[in-house]
């Protein structure tokens, strides 16, 4: 009897192998399906928006670049390894050490010969795919018709071609260097290169291969060194970007010399491949190293030390001028108008008569403070919210333009309470409702905003339009995703807006009727989105019907960034009502870091201020910027529209060739949309940052640094720049008041000390007009008022200090803070009126605990060293300008606290009636006595002083009530 146990033993091993392979295949299929789900849902999102070509172009570009990078690295490596191995000497006596190396390597030889090229190829492929933008810009680059001042080359070469050539040469250098190293390693392992007895022996095939690779590497370095001459125009030298005297006269010629030497060395390596003599190329390589030290380091140091430093201002002047001109052009400030101003600091009656239009438009509602008040008055339900920082816009009301503060009522999904379920989050609470608009220059008698558009359902000047659509499905605080839509006749499930009823309240329901997201009516699509959002409810919920759409990626900034990946976006999208629809307006910038001779700036640092302290941008260092695109996102259906705002921008022209038909011409912008676009905040911040240095006109001033400026700190936020502000105002020399943005300058700080005096006032016209497809001629006009140094005009910090230290102001502020009240200072605005500069600051009072509702109570104003502190802007201006400013604020209809007195002395911030003056004095005296008693521990004296203080405060309240009663009569 015979037996054969082998099959029995093999069965478990075979089964385990089959099981392992099956599990690997299943895991790969699952992973592949997840990847497919992610890619396909992304395609559905772009396709629904009409921007599928943007996504497919990126996919194709990255795929092509991956293949090119993979093959560009893997094929040369594979060929070099194969050649080095196949041309090895067959009969050669190896050392025992090499024999041991070969014993270890040989079993893995095939894996290594294929694995190493694939390994490095994959890395090179991913690196190349990440640089697809550089290649596509080069392939589609345009000319600019502007020549650089050193080589006379079109600046388009620097913007589009030079980055590509630099990347290509770096890639080829890496490939050749890796090939050279691996060839030497394989040749050594297999005896083509032998080292021993103080002798280096190289076989002929190995010599040819190594010499050719070395020659190619040196040839690439020669080309790279030649290109580096142009690269110097985008690199720092001395105090500028671009070559200065040393760069032009030493560095650039030195790079040319080194390039020629490197080319000669490359030729010598090629000769060595033929004749077999290594002495000449090795000696030439040593010469190249020495020359790089002498020509690349030593000579520039000698020129700098012995020529430039002793004669810096004279020798560098030409190159400083180059930097000044190029920087101004690159940042779009070259056509700025500079107006010297000898500012007045004295006040007189009627001084503001010519500026009545400006003072009537002064925004006393601070969008960064009144958000809690707006929420309390307009939120209606806990599941609604308003942004922390509101936005500034303007509308034509009754034929007159009105500056407004606007906010969108959006959802707050964290406040659903017991109703926080998947059904409610995904299909019931789907959208916000309405835009709230407030007059920027008005207030109620209680210090609250004057609403021009408000309520649920909406009412006001916007709602008068029959086509007004108040629903907000796409906003800055929208849910991650919502499932909307249903067949005709289906009972609505989405909460539209709350309304009152006999039962204490109910909700109006609605169904989304737009085209806002991919359709998910079939099981396959539901499965894909269930995987994408890790939510099985999407697959099984009855709320998902054949007409359902899924809305996601709803933040307007994110939507624009996805469909226009080449843009850097403004950090502050703002809502507006255009042609009856709430839309988000987003400014898009094209940027570059390779504009010749233009100084660079950190975009992150330049746009940071007290309203945006933690900015984050993907492309940080730039030296060229244009507001090339205006984008809108419809708040109802999420549709994105891109308009070519600056169609002469060469960077935008190039990207339009990459993504054709995605950006509409400006001619298609409606007149209503034109009336709401504004000059972008971030662009203005970048420009003011550069103008701190580049407001000067000549190289001499640049060299001496005798007039450097900086943006002052926000008086309410130390160590953070004051933000620019939008205002409607008339600049000196203009005929009419226009919607503008402004910022101020003070002298640049020296060490820890800062001199808080005003040196410059920068404004830009932000009104594009209201004509379809046509920008107003004055839009984007930068105007700098340069304050005469003989006149001392206080800066914002000094003015704030004056307000805080003024005894009369301090007394009234202390009274306003009695009990549980807290005083908040609003934005400190600066206006060029009355031949000087007027400061205006609203003062708010709110509870320090519980519900905080900031209400506007007082207005601080200053002109020169004169200050006034009154209930309304109109009163404050009159108090400041001798009882008759000649102009009024927009709040002149608000009844004053004490109507019978007209101030006559502008040097005193407040001129109350005799009784009120006595009450203020009594209150001040009582407070002083109370503080002294508290410090001394005398409780009896403290109680007596506190009683006197209470009586004085009550007296003031009685006087206020009497004045109010009189005004009502």
């Amino acid at each position: 009897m015979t037996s054969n146990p082998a099959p029995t033993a093999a069965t478990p091993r075979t089964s385990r192998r089959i099981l392992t392979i099956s599990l690997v295949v299943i895991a790969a299929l699952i992973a592949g399906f997840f990847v497919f789900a992610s890619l396909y849902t992304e395609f559905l999102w772009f396709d629904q928006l009409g921007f599928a070509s943007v996504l497919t172009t990126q996919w194709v570009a990255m795929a092509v670049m991956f293949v090119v990078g993979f093959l560009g690295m893997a094929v040369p490596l594979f060929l070099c390894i194969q050649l080095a191995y196949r041309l090895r000497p067959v009969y050669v006596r190896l050392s025992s050490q090499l024999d041991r190396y070969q014993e270890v390597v040989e079993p893995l030889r095939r894996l290594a010969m294929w694995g190493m090229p694939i390994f490095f190829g994959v890395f090179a492929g991913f690196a190349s795919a990440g640089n697809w933008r550089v290649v596509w810009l080069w392939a589609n680059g345009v000319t600019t018709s502007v020549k650089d001042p050193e080589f006379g080359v079109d600046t388009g070469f620097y913007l589009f071609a030079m980055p590509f050539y630099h990347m290509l040469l770096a890639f080829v250098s890496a490939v050749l260097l890796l090939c050279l190293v691996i060839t030497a390693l394989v040749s050594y392992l297999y005896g083509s290169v032998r080292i021993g007895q103080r002798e280096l022996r190289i076989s002929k095939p190995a010599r040819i291969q190594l010499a050719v690779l070395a020659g190619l590497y040196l040839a690439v370095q020669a080309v790279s060194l030649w290109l580096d001459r142009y690269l110097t125009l985008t690199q720092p030298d001395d105090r500028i970007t671009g070559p200065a005297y040393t760069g032009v006269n030493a560095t650039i010629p030195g790079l040319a010399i080194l390039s020629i030497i490197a080319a000669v060395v490359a030729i010598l390596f090629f000769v060595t491949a033929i004749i077999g003599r290594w002495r000449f190329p090795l000696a030439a390589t040593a010469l190249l190293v020495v020359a790089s030290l002498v020509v690349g380091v030593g000579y520039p140091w000698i020129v700098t030390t012995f020529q430039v430093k002793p004669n810096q201002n004279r020798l560098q002047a030409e190159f400083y001028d180059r930097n000044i001109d190029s920087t101004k052009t690159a940042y779009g400030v070259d056509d700025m108008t500079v107006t010297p101003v000898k500012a007045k600091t004295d006040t007189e009656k009627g001084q503001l008569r010519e500026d009545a239009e400006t003072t009537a438009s002064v925004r006393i509602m601070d969008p960064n403070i009144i958000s809690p008040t707006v929420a309390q008055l307009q939120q209606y339900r806990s599941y609604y919210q308003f942004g922390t920082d509101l936005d500034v816009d303007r509308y034509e009301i009754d034929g007159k333009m009105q500056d407004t503060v606007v906010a969108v009522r959006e959802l707050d999904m964290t406040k659903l309470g017991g109703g926080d379920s998947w059904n409610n989050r995904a299909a019931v609470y789907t959208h916000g409702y309405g835009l709230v608009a407030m007059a920027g220059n008005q207030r109620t008698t209680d210090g609250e905003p004057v609403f021009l558009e408000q309520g649920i359902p909406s009412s006001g000047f916007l709602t008068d339009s029959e086509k007004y659509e108040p629903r907000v499905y796409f906003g800055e605080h929208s849910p991650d995703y919502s499932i909307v839509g249903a067949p005709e006749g289906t009972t609505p499930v989405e909460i539209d807006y709350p309304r009152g009823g006999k039962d204490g309240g109910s909700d109006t329901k609605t169904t989304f009727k737009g085209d806002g997201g991919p359709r998910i009516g079939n099981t396959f699509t539901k499965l894909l989105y269930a995987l994408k959002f890790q939510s099985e409810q999407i697959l099984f919920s009855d709320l998902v019907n054949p007409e359902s759409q899924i809305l996601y990626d709803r933040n307007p900034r994110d939507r624009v960034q996805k469909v226009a990946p080449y843009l850097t976006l403004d950090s502050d999208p703002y809502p507006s009502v255009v042609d009856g629809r709430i839309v988000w307006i987003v400014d898009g910038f094209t940027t570059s870091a390779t504009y010749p001779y233009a100084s660079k700036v950190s975009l992150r640092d330049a746009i940071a201020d007290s309203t945006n302290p933690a900015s984050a941008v993907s492309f940080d260092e730039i030296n060229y910027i244009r507001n090339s695109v205006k984008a809108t996102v419809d708040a109802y259906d999420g549709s994105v529209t891109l308009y070519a705002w600056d169609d002469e921008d060469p960077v935008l022209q190039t990207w339009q060739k990459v993504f054709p038909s995605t950006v509409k011409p400006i001619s298609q912008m409606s007149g209503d949309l034109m009336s709401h676009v504004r000059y972008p905040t971030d662009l203005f911040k970048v420009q003011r940052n550069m103008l701190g240095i580049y407001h000067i006109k000549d190289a001499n001033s640049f060299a001496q640094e005798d007039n450097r400026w900086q943006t002052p700190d926000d008086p309410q936020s130390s160590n953070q720049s004051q933000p620019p502000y939008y205002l409607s105002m008339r600049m000196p020399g203009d005929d009419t008041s226009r919607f503008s943005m402004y910022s101020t300058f003070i002298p640049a700080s020296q060490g820890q000390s800062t001199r808080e005096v005003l040196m410059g006032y920068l404004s830009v016209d932000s009104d594009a007009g209201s004509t379809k497809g046509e920008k107003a001629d004055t839009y984007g006009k930068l105007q700098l008022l340069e304050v005469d140094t003989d006149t001392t005009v206080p800066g914002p910090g000094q003015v704030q200090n004056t307000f805080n230290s003024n005894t009369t102001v301090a007394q009234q502020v202390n009274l306003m803070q009695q009990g549980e009240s807290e005083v908040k200072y609003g934005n400190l605005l600066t206006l060029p009126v009355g031949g000087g500069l007027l400061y205006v600051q609203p003062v708010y009072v709110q509870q320090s605990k519980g519900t905080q509702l900031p209400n506007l109570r007082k207005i601080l104003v200053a002109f020169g060293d004169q200050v006034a502190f009154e209930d309304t802007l109109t009163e404050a201006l009159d108090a400041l300008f001798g009882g008759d400013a000649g102009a009024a604020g927009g709040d002149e209809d608000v009844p004053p606290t004490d109507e019978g007195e007209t101030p006559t002395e502008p040097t005193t911030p407040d001129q109350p009636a005799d009784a009120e003056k006595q009450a203020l004095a009594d209150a001040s005296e009582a407070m002083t006595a109370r503080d002294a008693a508290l410090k001394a521990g005398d409780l009896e004296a403290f109680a007596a002083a506190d009683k006197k203080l209470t009586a004085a405060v009550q007296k003031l309240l009685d006087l206020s009530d009497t004045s109010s009663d009189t005004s009502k009569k």
Side-chain angles (χ1 to χ4, degrees):
M1 185 176 68
T2 61
S3 63
N4 187 5
T8 304
T11 300
R13 287 198 298 271
T14 303
S15 299
R16 284 195 297 269
R17 188 180 300 113
I18 293 173
L19 179 61
T20 302
I21 293 173
S22 300
L23 290 175
V24 170
V25 171
I26 292 172
L29 288 174
I30 292 174
F33 189 73
F34 270 95
V35 173
F36 169 77
S38 176
L39 295 178
Y40 188 62
T41 53
E42 191 76 349
F43 175 80
L44 291 176
W45 187 91
F46 276 87
D47 187 51
Q48 185 276 325
L49 269 179
F51 286 89
S53 62
V54 173
L55 184 63
T56 55
T57 298
Q58 294 180 77
W59 282 355
V60 169
M62 287 190 285
V64 169
M65 289 306 300
F66 180 86
V67 172
V68 170
F70 177 82
L71 295 177
M73 176 65 77
V75 171
L77 279 179
F78 179 78
L79 292 176
C80 287
I81 294 173
Q82 289 292 327
L83 283 174
Y85 176 75
R86 293 181 181 278
L87 298 177
R88 72 192 185 283
V90 179
Y91 305 104
V92 63
R93 188 173 182 178
L94 302 177
S95 65
S96 58
Q97 187 175 15
L98 281 178
D99 281 336
R100 288 194 297 271
Y101 287 160
Q102 286 192 8
E103 289 177 2
V104 173
V105 171
E106 191 61 27
L108 302 173
R109 177 175 57 81
R110 287 185 177 277
L111 178 62
M113 293 178 74
W114 288 93
M116 289 178 63
I118 292 175
F119 176 78
F120 287 108
V122 168
F123 274 97
F126 281 117
S128 300
N131 287 317
W132 71 269
R133 289 179 175 86
V134 177
V135 180
W136 259 244
L137 278 176
W138 164 73
N140 295 277
V142 300
T143 58
T144 65
S145 301
V146 178
K147 309 294 184 181
D148 80 77
E150 177 60 26
F151 299 107
V153 175
D154 189 275
T155 54
F157 167 80
Y158 297 92
L159 294 173
F160 312 120
M162 189 177 69
F164 167 74
Y165 294 139
H166 183 71
M167 182 198 73
L168 178 63
L169 290 170
F171 180 83
V172 175
S173 294
V175 172
L176 290 171
L177 187 60
L178 201 54
C179 287
L180 188 61
V181 171
I182 290 180
T183 298
L185 179 62
V186 174
S187 298
Y188 176 72
L189 285 175
Y190 288 95
S192 297
V193 176
R194 286 173 289 167
I195 303 174
Q197 298 178 351
R198 298 182 180 180
E199 187 179 10
L200 174 64
R201 294 184 180 183
I202 305 176
S203 68
K204 183 178 180 181
R207 182 197 74 212
I208 294 174
Q209 186 173 347
L210 289 171
V212 169
L213 287 172
L216 289 174
Y217 180 77
L218 265 298
V220 171
Q221 300 315 301
V223 177
S224 182
L225 287 166
W226 191 263
L227 181 67
D228 286 347
R229 296 162 59 250
Y230 300 95
L231 198 61
T232 59
L233 270 67
T234 63
Q235 295 176 335
D237 183 10
D238 188 38
R239 291 164 40 208
I240 63 174
T241 295
Y245 184 87
T246 300
V248 169
N249 294 281
T251 304
I252 291 177
L255 289 170
I257 293 171
L258 291 175
S259 176
I260 294 171
I261 296 175
V264 172
V265 177
I267 294 172
L268 290 176
F269 271 107
F270 294 142
V271 172
T272 294
I274 300 173
I275 66 175
R277 295 183 178 274
W278 290 94
R279 184 179 306 169
F280 298 117
L282 293 177
T285 302
L287 175 63
L288 177 61
V289 173
V290 173
S292 65
L293 293 174
V294 174
V295 178
V297 179
Y299 183 57
W301 180 83
I302 292 172
V303 172
T304 300
T305 304
F306 298 104
Q307 278 189 272
V308 175
K309 288 185 176 179
N311 308 283
Q312 183 165 353
N313 289 2
R314 178 176 61 83
L315 294 180
Q316 303 284 51
E318 175 188 353
F319 310 103
Y320 288 166
D321 280 330
R322 291 181 179 183
N323 175 248
I324 293 169
D325 294 340
S326 295
T327 300
K328 288 183 176 180
T329 300
Y331 290 95
V333 297
D334 49 329
D335 58 351
M336 178 181 69
T337 302
V338 180
T339 305
V341 173
K342 192 173 182 64
K344 295 181 179 179
T345 56
D346 297 329
T347 60
E348 59 184 30
K349 291 184 177 181
Q351 193 167 340
L352 303 185
R353 188 161 287 116
E354 294 182 1
D355 299 295
E357 193 175 358
T358 297
T359 60
S361 300
V362 174
R363 180 173 45 75
I364 56 176
M365 285 290 133
D366 186 343
N368 296 317
I369 285 184
I370 64 174
S371 180
T373 304
V374 175
Q376 286 292 323
L377 298 176
Q378 295 292 321
Q379 187 170 313
Y380 292 104
R381 292 291 189 272
S382 61
Y383 53 79
Y384 285 132
Q385 65 172 318
F386 293 94
T388 304
D389 300 328
L390 309 186
D391 293 290
V392 177
D393 198 0
R394 71 275 190 205
Y395 289 90
E396 184 176 354
I397 302 175
D398 297 329
K400 185 177 180 181
M401 294 304 293
Q402 170 72 57
D403 286 6
T404 59
V405 178
V406 296
V408 169
R409 188 183 291 106
E410 296 196 62
L411 290 176
D412 185 354
M413 303 300 281
T414 64
K415 300 294 176 59
L416 296 184
D420 189 5
S421 64
W422 181 86
N423 275 25
N424 286 339
R425 282 186 283 107
V428 177
Y429 294 96
T430 59
H431 62 279
Y433 192 92
L435 179 139
V436 173
M438 298 144 276
N441 62 337
Q442 299 175 29
R443 48 162 282 195
T444 67
T445 55
D446 295 326
E448 295 173 352
V450 174
F451 291 97
L452 306 173
E453 178 73 23
Q454 61 176 322
I456 293 182
S458 297
S459 63
F461 74 100
L462 295 174
T463 315
D464 294 340
S465 170
E466 294 181 358
K467 58 183 179 179
Y468 178 58
E469 174 54 71
R471 296 165 186 86
V472 181
Y473 283 88
F474 295 84
E476 294 180 301
H477 304 284
S478 295
D480 290 339
Y481 68 90
S482 294
I483 298 173
V484 298
E488 196 73 28
T490 304
T491 302
V493 297
E494 300 176 50
I495 290 180
D496 196 19
Y497 57 84
R499 57 185 173 86
K502 295 180 180 179
D503 56 354
S506 58
D507 296 315
T508 299
K509 301 294 182 65
T510 188
T511 299
F512 180 75
K513 298 186 182 303
D515 183 15
R519 305 273 173 173
I520 57 169
N522 60 71
T523 303
F524 180 68
T525 312
K526 286 193 286 185
L527 175 61
L528 294 180
Y529 278 101
L531 292 174
K532 178 179 179 66
F533 292 107
Q534 301 291 291
S535 176
E536 71 280 0
Q537 293 94 333
I538 294 176
L539 187 60
F540 301 112
S541 175
D542 292 337
L543 290 172
V544 184
N545 57 71
E547 297 298 322
S548 289
Q549 304 172 44
I550 185 166
L551 314 181
Y552 60 99
D553 287 341
R554 301 160 76 173
N555 187 295
R557 199 167 181 270
D558 294 341
R559 293 178 77 80
V560 175
Q561 190 68 82
K562 289 183 70 172
V563 302
Y566 51 90
L567 293 178
T568 299
L569 301 182
D570 191 270
S571 57
D572 184 26
Y574 60 98
S576 191
V577 176
V578 176
D579 299 318
R581 310 275 289 196
I582 298 176
V583 299
W584 296 90
I585 300 177
V586 186
D587 284 288
F589 312 118
T590 46
T591 59
S592 176
T594 57
Y595 194 89
Y597 266 110
S599 290
K600 296 181 180 180
V601 65
S602 167
L603 190 56
R604 180 182 292 106
D605 295 339
I607 67 176
D609 57 28
S610 61
T611 62
N612 186 29
S615 58
V617 289
S618 57
F619 184 50
D620 189 29
E621 193 172 70
I622 64 168
N623 70 351
Y624 173 92
I625 186 170
R626 288 291 185 273
N627 178 208
S628 53
V629 171
K630 299 283 187 183
T632 63
V633 178
D634 192 292
Y636 183 75
D637 62 20
S639 56
V640 179
T641 309
L642 308 176
Y643 297 98
W645 189 250
D646 184 358
D647 55 9
E648 295 182 358
D649 171 38
V651 182
L652 178 62
Q653 291 173 358
T654 299
W655 281 116
Q656 284 184 296
K657 292 172 67 177
V658 177
F659 300 113
S661 305
T662 57
V663 180
K664 295 183 178 181
I666 191 175
S667 59
Q668 295 190 26
M669 293 182 70
S670 70
D672 199 9
L673 176 57
M674 294 292 293
S675 69
H676 290 285
V677 299
R678 66 190 191 189
Y679 200 80
T681 309
D682 285 354
L683 175 60
F684 188 72
K685 291 178 184 178
V686 171
Q687 290 174 327
R688 76 173 180 181
N689 182 284
M690 300 309 299
L691 287 171
I693 297 175
Y694 291 95
H695 64 276
I696 48 93
K697 297 180 180 179
D698 57 78
N700 187 53
S701 180
F702 183 89
Q704 295 174 3
E705 289 193 0
D706 57 352
N707 196 21
R708 295 188 67 173
W709 298 344
Q710 69 181 38
T711 305
D713 286 347
D714 190 326
Q716 307 305 318
S717 302
S718 58
N719 300 320
Q720 292 181 330
S721 298
Q722 187 180 39
Y725 296 117
Y726 289 102
L727 289 173
S728 286
M729 60 183 178
R730 184 176 69 88
M731 288 290 289
D734 291 349
D735 296 330
T736 59
S737 175
R738 297 185 66 83
F739 187 68
S740 306
M741 180 167 47
Y742 84 89
S743 186
T744 58
F745 293 106
I746 61 173
S749 59
Q750 303 293 331
Q752 298 297 321
S753 62
T754 302
R755 187 165 176 255
E756 277 281 350
V757 295
L758 211 62
M759 302 299 295
Y761 185 94
L762 177 68
S763 74
V764 62
D765 191 320
S766 298
D767 188 351
S770 57
T771 304
K772 178 182 178 180
E774 292 184 18
K775 285 186 280 188
D777 293 338
T778 56
Y779 172 86
K781 174 187 175 184
L782 287 162
Q783 187 171 355
L784 176 64
L785 304 181
E786 194 166 3
V787 180
D788 190 290
T789 54
D790 293 337
T791 306
T792 301
V793 177
Q798 191 178 138
V799 169
Q800 188 69 62
N801 181 70
T802 301
F803 285 159
N804 296 341
S805 61
N806 187 283
T807 54
T808 308
V809 172
Q811 288 175 0
Q812 296 193 53
V813 169
N814 286 334
L815 289 174
M816 293 162 67
Q817 294 183 127
Q818 291 299 311
E820 295 185 348
S821 296
E822 176 186 357
V823 171
K824 296 192 71 173
Y825 293 94
N827 41 212
L828 182 58
L829 305 176
T830 311
L831 297 95
V833 295
L837 289 150
L838 173 72
Y839 287 93
V840 177
Q841 184 175 46
V843 179
Y844 298 81
V845 177
Q846 67 178 21
Q847 288 190 145
S848 57
K849 299 178 182 179
T851 301
Q852 294 184 321
L853 194 70
N855 288 331
L856 179 60
R857 293 303 185 193
K858 291 283 187 178
I859 301 290
L860 278 163
V861 294
F863 192 94
D865 58 355
Q866 313 295 314
V867 298
F869 188 46
E870 299 292 341
D871 293 340
T872 67
L873 177 59
T874 301
E875 285 186 288
L877 293 176
D878 284 341
L880 194 65
F881 291 93
D884 177 19
D891 60 350
E892 61 179 332
D893 293 332
V894 178
T897 301
D898 187 359
E899 200 173 54
E901 285 292 316
T902 300
T904 57
E905 298 182 16
T907 54
T908 304
D910 195 15
Q911 295 291 334
D914 292 341
E916 185 177 352
K917 185 185 295 183
Q918 184 60 49
L920 281 171
D922 293 342
S924 177
E925 182 181 350
M927 279 192 294
T928 302
R930 188 182 65 167
D931 292 342
L934 183 62
K935 291 179 181 179
D938 190 343
L939 297 180
E940 185 176 350
F942 176 83
D946 189 62
K947 186 176 180 180
K948 290 182 180 180
L949 176 60
T950 302
V953 171
Q954 186 60 48
K955 180 65 174 176
L956 284 169
L957 293 174
D958 293 341
L959 290 171
S960 177
D961 291 342
T962 302
S963 298
S964 298
D965 293 340
T966 303
S967 64
K968 292 176 182 178
K969 294 177 183 179

